[in-house]
Coordinates of all heavy atoms in Angstrom, one line a residue:
M1 N 0.9 -1.1 0.0 CA 0.0 0.0 0.0 C 0.9 1.2 0.0 O 1.8 1.4 0.9 CB -0.9 0.0 1.3 CG -1.8 1.1 1.4 SD -2.9 0.9 2.9 CE -3.5 -0.8 2.7
E2 N 0.7 2.1 -1.0 CA 1.6 3.2 -1.1 C 1.5 4.2 0.0 O 2.5 4.6 0.6 CB 1.4 3.9 -2.4 CG 1.8 3.1 -3.6 CD 1.7 3.8 -4.9 OE1 1.6 5.1 -4.9 OE2 1.5 3.1 -5.9
K3 N 0.3 4.6 0.3 CA 0.0 5.5 1.5 C -1.4 5.3 1.9 O -2.2 4.8 1.2 CB 0.3 6.9 1.2 CG -0.6 7.6 0.2 CD -0.1 9.1 0.0 CE -1.3 9.9 -0.4 NZ -1.1 11.3 -0.3
L4 N -1.6 5.6 3.2 CA -3.0 5.5 3.8 C -3.9 6.6 3.3 O -3.4 7.7 3.0 CB -2.9 5.5 5.3 CG -2.1 4.4 5.9 CD1 -1.9 4.7 7.4 CD2 -2.7 3.1 5.7
P5 N -5.1 6.3 3.1 CA -6.1 7.3 2.7 C -6.1 8.5 3.7 O -6.0 8.2 4.9 CB -7.5 6.6 2.7 CG -7.1 5.2 2.7 CD -5.8 5.0 3.3
A6 N -6.4 9.7 3.3 CA -6.4 10.8 4.2 C -7.7 10.8 5.0 O -7.7 11.3 6.2 CB -6.3 12.1 3.4
D7 N -8.8 10.3 4.5 CA -10.1 10.3 5.1 C -10.1 9.1 6.1 O -9.9 7.9 5.6 CB -11.2 10.3 4.1 CG -12.6 10.3 4.8 OD1 -13.0 9.2 5.3 OD2 -13.2 11.4 4.8
D8 N -10.4 9.3 7.4 CA -10.4 8.2 8.3 C -11.5 7.2 8.1 O -11.3 6.0 8.4 CB -10.5 8.8 9.7 CG -9.2 9.5 10.1 OD1 -8.1 9.3 9.5 OD2 -9.2 10.3 11.1
F9 N -12.6 7.6 7.6 CA -13.7 6.7 7.3 C -13.4 5.8 6.1 O -13.7 4.6 6.1 CB -15.0 7.4 7.1 CG -15.6 7.8 8.5 CD1 -15.5 9.2 8.8 CD2 -16.1 7.0 9.4 CE1 -16.0 9.7 10.0 CE2 -16.6 7.4 10.6 CZ -16.5 8.8 10.9
I10 N -12.6 6.3 5.1 CA -12.2 5.5 4.0 C -11.1 4.5 4.5 O -11.1 3.4 4.1 CB -11.7 6.4 2.9 CG1 -12.9 7.1 2.3 CG2 -11.0 5.6 1.8 CD1 -12.6 8.1 1.2
L11 N -10.3 5.0 5.4 CA -9.3 4.1 6.0 C -9.9 2.9 6.7 O -9.5 1.8 6.5 CB -8.4 4.9 7.0 CG -7.4 4.1 7.8 CD1 -6.3 3.4 6.8 CD2 -6.7 5.0 8.8
L12 N -11.0 3.2 7.5 CA -11.7 2.2 8.2 C -12.3 1.2 7.2 O -12.1 -0.1 7.4 CB -12.9 2.8 9.0 CG -13.8 1.9 9.6 CD1 -13.2 1.0 10.7 CD2 -15.0 2.6 10.2
S13 N -12.9 1.6 6.2 CA -13.5 0.8 5.1 C -12.4 -0.1 4.5 O -12.5 -1.3 4.3 CB -14.2 1.6 4.1 OG -14.7 0.7 3.1
L14 N -11.3 0.5 4.1 CA -10.2 -0.2 3.5 C -9.6 -1.2 4.4 O -9.4 -2.4 3.9 CB -9.1 0.8 3.1 CG -7.8 0.2 2.4 CD1 -8.2 -0.4 1.1 CD2 -6.8 1.3 2.3
M15 N -9.4 -0.9 5.7 CA -8.8 -1.9 6.6 C -9.8 -3.1 6.7 O -9.3 -4.2 6.7 CB -8.5 -1.3 7.9 CG -7.4 -0.2 8.0 SD -5.8 -1.0 7.7 CE -5.4 -0.3 6.1
N16 N -11.0 -2.8 6.9 CA -12.0 -3.9 7.1 C -12.1 -4.8 5.9 O -12.3 -6.0 6.0 CB -13.3 -3.4 7.7 CG -13.3 -3.2 9.2 OD1 -12.4 -3.7 9.9 ND2 -14.2 -2.4 9.7
T17 N -12.1 -4.1 4.7 CA -12.2 -4.9 3.5 C -11.0 -5.8 3.3 O -11.1 -7.0 3.0 CB -12.4 -4.0 2.3 OG1 -13.5 -3.2 2.4 CG2 -12.4 -4.7 1.0
K18 N -9.8 -5.3 3.5 CA -8.6 -6.1 3.4 C -8.5 -7.2 4.4 O -8.1 -8.3 4.1 CB -7.3 -5.2 3.5 CG -7.1 -4.4 2.2 CD -5.7 -3.7 2.2 CE -5.4 -3.2 0.9 NZ -5.1 -4.2 -0.1
L19 N -9.0 -6.9 5.6 CA -9.0 -8.0 6.7 C -10.0 -9.0 6.3 O -9.7 -10.2 6.5 CB -9.4 -7.3 8.0 CG -8.3 -6.5 8.7 CD1 -8.8 -5.7 9.8 CD2 -7.1 -7.4 9.1
R20 N -11.1 -8.7 5.7 CA -12.1 -9.7 5.3 C -11.7 -10.5 4.2 O -11.9 -11.7 4.1 CB -13.5 -8.9 5.0 CG -14.6 -9.9 4.6 CD -15.8 -9.2 4.0 NE -15.4 -8.6 2.7 CZ -15.8 -7.4 2.3 NH1 -16.5 -6.6 3.1 NH2 -15.4 -7.0 1.2
D21 N -11.1 -9.8 3.2 CA -10.8 -10.5 1.9 C -9.4 -11.1 1.7 O -9.2 -12.0 1.0 CB -11.0 -9.5 0.7 CG -12.5 -9.1 0.6 OD1 -13.4 -9.7 1.2 OD2 -12.7 -8.1 -0.1
E22 N -8.4 -10.5 2.5 CA -7.0 -10.9 2.1 C -6.2 -11.3 3.3 O -5.2 -12.1 3.1 CB -6.3 -9.7 1.5 CG -7.0 -9.2 0.2 CD -6.3 -7.9 -0.4 OE1 -5.1 -7.8 -0.2 OE2 -7.1 -7.1 -0.9
Y23 N -6.5 -10.9 4.5 CA -5.6 -11.1 5.7 C -6.3 -11.8 6.9 O -7.4 -11.5 7.1 CB -4.9 -9.8 6.1 CG -4.0 -9.3 5.0 CD1 -4.5 -8.2 4.3 CD2 -2.8 -9.8 4.7 CE1 -3.7 -7.6 3.2 CE2 -2.0 -9.3 3.6 CZ -2.5 -8.2 2.9 OH -1.7 -7.7 1.9
S24 N -5.5 -12.6 7.6 CA -6.1 -13.3 8.7 C -5.9 -12.6 10.0 O -6.5 -13.0 11.1 CB -5.5 -14.7 8.9 OG -4.1 -14.6 9.1
S25 N -5.2 -11.5 10.0 CA -5.0 -10.6 11.2 C -4.5 -9.2 10.8 O -4.0 -9.0 9.7 CB -4.0 -11.3 12.2 OG -2.7 -11.2 11.6
F26 N -4.7 -8.3 11.7 CA -4.2 -6.9 11.5 C -2.7 -6.9 11.4 O -2.1 -6.2 10.6 CB -4.7 -6.0 12.7 CG -4.3 -4.6 12.5 CD1 -4.6 -3.8 11.4 CD2 -3.6 -4.0 13.6 CE1 -4.2 -2.5 11.3 CE2 -3.2 -2.7 13.5 CZ -3.5 -1.9 12.3
A27 N -2.0 -7.7 12.2 CA -0.6 -7.8 12.2 C -0.1 -8.3 10.8 O 0.9 -7.7 10.3 CB 0.0 -8.7 13.3
E28 N -0.7 -9.2 10.3 CA -0.3 -9.7 9.0 C -0.6 -8.7 7.9 O 0.3 -8.5 7.0 CB -1.2 -11.0 8.6 CG -0.8 -11.6 7.2 CD -1.7 -12.7 6.8 OE1 -2.8 -12.9 7.4 OE2 -1.4 -13.3 5.8
L29 N -1.7 -8.0 8.0 CA -2.0 -6.9 7.0 C -0.9 -5.8 7.1 O -0.3 -5.4 6.1 CB -3.3 -6.2 7.3 CG -3.8 -5.1 6.4 CD1 -5.3 -5.0 6.5 CD2 -3.2 -3.8 6.7
C30 N -0.5 -5.4 8.3 CA 0.5 -4.4 8.5 C 1.9 -4.8 7.9 O 2.6 -4.1 7.2 CB 0.7 -4.0 9.9 SG -0.8 -3.1 10.6
A31 N 2.2 -6.1 8.2 CA 3.5 -6.6 7.7 C 3.6 -6.7 6.2 O 4.6 -6.3 5.6 CB 3.8 -8.0 8.4
C32 N 2.5 -7.2 5.6 CA 2.5 -7.4 4.2 C 2.4 -6.1 3.4 O 2.9 -6.0 2.3 CB 1.4 -8.4 3.8 SG 1.7 -10.1 4.4
E33 N 1.6 -5.2 3.9 CA 1.3 -4.0 3.2 C 2.2 -2.8 3.6 O 2.2 -1.7 3.0 CB -0.2 -3.5 3.4 CG -1.2 -4.5 3.0 CD -1.5 -4.4 1.5 OE1 -1.1 -3.4 0.9 OE2 -2.2 -5.2 0.9
G34 N 3.1 -3.0 4.6 CA 4.0 -2.0 5.0 C 3.2 -0.8 5.7 O 3.6 0.4 5.6
V35 N 2.2 -1.2 6.4 CA 1.4 -0.2 7.1 C 1.9 0.1 8.5 O 2.2 -0.9 9.2 CB -0.1 -0.7 7.1 CG1 -1.0 0.2 8.0 CG2 -0.7 -0.7 5.7
A36 N 1.9 1.3 9.0 CA 2.3 1.6 10.3 C 1.1 1.4 11.3 O 0.1 2.2 11.3 CB 2.7 3.1 10.4
A37 N 1.1 0.3 12.0 CA 0.0 -0.1 12.9 C -0.4 1.0 13.8 O -1.6 1.2 14.1 CB 0.4 -1.4 13.6
D38 N 0.6 1.7 14.4 CA 0.3 2.7 15.4 C -0.5 3.8 14.8 O -1.4 4.3 15.5 CB 1.6 3.3 16.0 CG 2.4 2.3 16.9 OD1 1.7 1.3 17.3 OD2 3.5 2.5 17.2
E39 N -0.2 4.2 13.6 CA -0.9 5.3 13.0 C -2.4 4.8 12.7 O -3.3 5.6 13.0 CB -0.3 5.7 11.6 CG -1.1 6.8 10.9 CD -0.5 7.2 9.6 OE1 0.6 6.7 9.2 OE2 -1.1 8.0 8.9
V40 N -2.6 3.7 12.2 CA -3.9 3.2 11.9 C -4.7 3.1 13.2 O -5.9 3.5 13.3 CB -3.9 1.8 11.2 CG1 -5.3 1.2 11.0 CG2 -3.2 1.9 9.8
L41 N -4.1 2.5 14.2 CA -4.8 2.3 15.5 C -5.2 3.7 16.1 O -6.3 3.8 16.6 CB -4.0 1.5 16.5 CG -3.8 0.0 16.1 CD1 -2.8 -0.6 17.0 CD2 -5.1 -0.7 16.1
A42 N -4.3 4.6 16.0 CA -4.6 6.0 16.5 C -5.7 6.6 15.8 O -6.7 7.2 16.4 CB -3.4 6.8 16.5
R43 N -5.7 6.6 14.5 CA -6.7 7.3 13.7 C -8.1 6.6 13.9 O -9.1 7.3 14.0 CB -6.3 7.3 12.2 CG -5.1 8.2 11.9 CD -4.6 8.2 10.5 NE -5.7 8.4 9.6 CZ -5.5 8.3 8.2 NH1 -4.4 7.9 7.7 NH2 -6.5 8.6 7.4
L44 N -8.1 5.3 13.9 CA -9.4 4.6 14.0 C -9.9 4.7 15.4 O -11.2 4.8 15.6 CB -9.3 3.2 13.5 CG -9.0 3.1 12.0 CD1 -9.0 1.6 11.5 CD2 -9.9 4.0 11.1
S45 N -9.1 4.7 16.4 CA -9.5 4.9 17.8 C -10.1 6.3 18.0 O -11.1 6.4 18.7 CB -8.3 4.8 18.7 OG -8.6 5.0 20.0
A46 N -9.6 7.3 17.3 CA -10.2 8.6 17.4 C -11.7 8.6 16.8 O -12.5 9.5 17.2 CB -9.4 9.6 16.6
L47 N -12.0 7.7 16.0 CA -13.3 7.6 15.4 C -14.2 6.7 16.4 O -15.4 6.5 16.1 CB -13.3 6.9 14.1 CG -12.7 7.7 12.9 CD1 -12.7 6.9 11.6 CD2 -13.4 9.0 12.7
G48 N -13.6 6.0 17.3 CA -14.3 5.1 18.2 C -14.3 3.7 17.8 O -15.1 2.9 18.2
Y49 N -13.3 3.3 17.1 CA -13.1 1.9 16.6 C -11.9 1.3 17.1 O -10.8 2.0 17.3 CB -13.1 1.9 15.1 CG -14.4 2.1 14.4 CD1 -14.9 3.4 14.2 CD2 -15.2 1.0 14.0 CE1 -16.1 3.7 13.7 CE2 -16.5 1.3 13.4 CZ -16.9 2.6 13.3 OH -18.1 2.8 12.7
E50 N -11.9 0.0 17.4 CA -10.8 -0.8 17.9 C -10.8 -2.1 17.1 O -11.8 -2.6 16.7 CB -10.8 -1.1 19.4 CG -10.6 0.1 20.2 CD -10.6 -0.2 21.7 OE1 -10.9 -1.4 22.0 OE2 -10.5 0.7 22.5
Y51 N -9.5 -2.6 16.9 CA -9.4 -3.9 16.3 C -9.9 -5.0 17.2 O -9.5 -5.1 18.4 CB -8.0 -4.2 15.9 CG -7.8 -5.5 15.2 CD1 -8.3 -5.8 14.0 CD2 -7.1 -6.5 15.9 CE1 -8.2 -7.0 13.4 CE2 -6.9 -7.8 15.3 CZ -7.5 -8.0 14.0 OH -7.3 -9.2 13.4
A52 N -10.8 -5.8 16.7 CA -11.3 -7.0 17.4 C -10.8 -8.3 16.8 O -11.3 -8.7 15.7 CB -12.9 -6.9 17.4
P53 N -9.8 -8.9 17.4 CA -9.2 -10.1 16.8 C -10.2 -11.2 16.6 O -10.1 -12.0 15.6 CB -8.1 -10.5 17.7 CG -8.0 -9.4 18.7 CD -9.2 -8.5 18.6
E54 N -11.2 -11.3 17.4 CA -12.2 -12.4 17.3 C -13.1 -12.3 16.0 O -13.6 -13.3 15.5 CB -13.1 -12.5 18.6 CG -13.9 -11.3 18.9 CD -13.3 -10.3 19.7 OE1 -12.0 -10.2 19.8 OE2 -14.0 -9.5 20.2
Y55 N -13.2 -11.0 15.5 CA -13.9 -10.8 14.3 C -12.9 -10.5 13.1 O -13.4 -10.3 12.0 CB -14.9 -9.6 14.5 CG -15.9 -9.8 15.5 CD1 -15.9 -9.2 16.7 CD2 -17.0 -10.7 15.3 CE1 -16.8 -9.4 17.7 CE2 -17.9 -10.9 16.2 CZ -17.9 -10.3 17.4 OH -18.8 -10.5 18.4
N56 N -11.7 -10.3 13.4 CA -10.7 -9.8 12.4 C -11.2 -8.6 11.7 O -11.2 -8.5 10.5 CB -10.3 -10.9 11.5 CG -9.1 -10.6 10.6 OD1 -8.2 -9.9 11.1 ND2 -9.1 -11.0 9.4
A57 N -11.6 -7.6 12.5 CA -12.2 -6.4 12.0 C -12.1 -5.3 13.0 O -12.0 -5.6 14.2 CB -13.7 -6.6 11.6
F58 N -12.2 -4.1 12.5 CA -12.3 -2.9 13.4 C -13.8 -2.7 13.7 O -14.6 -2.7 12.8 CB -11.7 -1.7 12.7 CG -10.2 -1.7 12.8 CD1 -9.5 -2.2 11.8 CD2 -9.6 -1.1 13.9 CE1 -8.1 -2.2 11.8 CE2 -8.2 -1.1 13.9 CZ -7.5 -1.7 12.9
K59 N -14.1 -2.7 15.0 CA -15.5 -2.6 15.5 C -15.7 -1.3 16.3 O -14.7 -0.9 17.0 CB -15.9 -3.8 16.3 CG -15.9 -5.1 15.5 CD -17.1 -5.2 14.6 CE -17.2 -6.6 14.0 NZ -18.3 -6.8 13.2
R60 N -16.8 -0.8 16.4 CA -17.2 0.4 17.2 C -17.2 0.0 18.7 O -17.7 -1.1 19.0 CB -18.5 0.9 16.8 CG -18.9 2.2 17.4 CD -18.8 3.3 16.4 NE -19.4 4.5 16.9 CZ -18.7 5.6 17.1 NH1 -17.5 5.7 16.8 NH2 -19.3 6.7 17.6
V61 N -16.5 0.8 19.5 CA -16.5 0.5 20.9 C -17.4 1.4 21.7 O -17.9 2.4 21.2 CB -15.1 0.6 21.5 CG1 -14.2 -0.6 21.0 CG2 -14.5 1.9 21.2

């Protein structure tokens, strides 16, 4: 992934789509795509979402 989308809601959608279709975990997605996990977690946390490993998706908290 060249760079993360500027819009946080598009980032949320992109992460959940990739987790659903391509990756078995957020750690795998970050490693394979070269994504900064801390940045994604911070941005999505600001929207009220956290990664839920049991669903392999970002869910509203």
Side-chain angles (χ1 to χ4, degrees):
M1 181 176 309
E2 290 183 25
K3 68 178 205 169
L4 297 174
D7 183 281
D8 291 340
F9 287 103
I10 292 175
L11 175 63
L12 172 64
S13 178
L14 177 65
M15 291 293 110
N16 278 340
T17 298
K18 285 192 169 284
L19 287 166
R20 182 190 67 225
D21 296 344
E22 300 176 37
Y23 297 104
S24 61
S25 71
F26 180 58
E28 181 187 12
L29 183 155
C30 292
C32 292
E33 297 278 347
V35 170
D38 291 344
E39 180 183 353
V40 172
L41 293 172
R43 288 175 58 186
L44 297 185
S45 177
L47 293 177
Y49 287 82
E50 289 182 359
Y51 177 67
E54 63 272 20
Y55 298 106
N56 193 34
F58 283 89
K59 298 284 189 177
R60 188 108 168 115
V61 290

